Amino acid sequence: MSRDTEFLEYVTAHRGRMVRTARLLAGGDHHWAEDLVQTALTKLYVHWGKVRQAEGASSYADRILINAFIDERRRFWRSRETSTAELHDPDPPRGPDHADRLTVLDALAQLPRRQRAVVVLRYFQDLDVAAVARAMDCSEGTVKSQTARALAKLRDLIDDPLDTLERAR
């Protein structure tokens, strides 16, 4: 099987998960999430030969996605963009947990980037502390402290953050 075929199969199987994760990281901004995923997939493709031999493509892709999200603040053009009150999503999803999802996205958007990344990886991707530490290239203690700070902030923003996070999944 060729390198490109293997990569295409990987993208087909994992892109949806990556977009969902990126959308949570981006606080619901679907366009920014798509940019993050595209950045991650581009970098993954460049290193595909080494990554596929190590069989760690998903972990590597998650790490690239998190780094792209955290490093986004360094881009000058991003800081010049102007936000509007209008939602430009043509057809937002509706359902019984729609209000919970909006509440969670709004609350996540108010967290600092590293805390947001920890919450998304721990509570939406169900990764343990060690896996989050590897994905974010930090210590387990940092993951624990960032999680505690994030949950404290979410408690201020949401009545019952863990229950709301669970329902919003």
Side-chain angles (χ1 to χ4, degrees), residues 14-135:
H14 296 275
R15 187 177 179 288
R17 177 190 59 81
M18 292 177 72
V19 170
R20 285 188 299 277
T21 300
R23 190 163 185 177
L24 290 166
L25 291 170
D29 185 337
H30 186 70
H31 301 291
W32 184 16
E34 288 286 343
D35 288 346
L36 291 171
V37 170
Q38 187 62 41
T39 298
L41 289 175
T42 301
K43 290 180 180 182
L44 182 63
Y45 181 77
V46 169
H47 299 286
W48 186 248
K50 180 172 57 172
V51 171
R52 75 171 171 193
Q53 291 171 0
E55 298 295 326
S58 291
S59 298
Y60 191 74
D62 287 343
R63 188 168 182 178
I64 294 170
L65 189 62
I66 297 298
N67 288 340
F69 166 71
I70 290 171
D71 291 344
E72 184 72 19
R73 67 177 170 243
R74 295 182 184 146
R75 288 191 181 180
F76 179 71
W77 65 267
R78 179 84 178 153
S79 64
R80 296 184 312 185
E81 290 183 0
T82 305
S83 298
T84 63
E86 291 180 40
L87 181 63
H88 296 288
D89 201 356
D91 190 20
R94 301 282 178 205
D97 298 325
H98 180 68
D100 286 336
R101 286 188 187 106
L102 291 179
T103 300
V104 169
L105 287 174
D106 183 51
L108 284 173
Q110 295 180 52
L111 292 177
R113 290 173 190 251
R114 290 184 66 82
Q115 289 178 16
R116 192 181 321 167
V118 166
V119 168
V120 169
L121 293 173
R122 292 282 320 274
Y123 296 102
F124 289 92
Q125 287 196 350
D126 289 327
L127 298 179
D128 62 16
V129 172
V132 173
R134 283 191 303 275

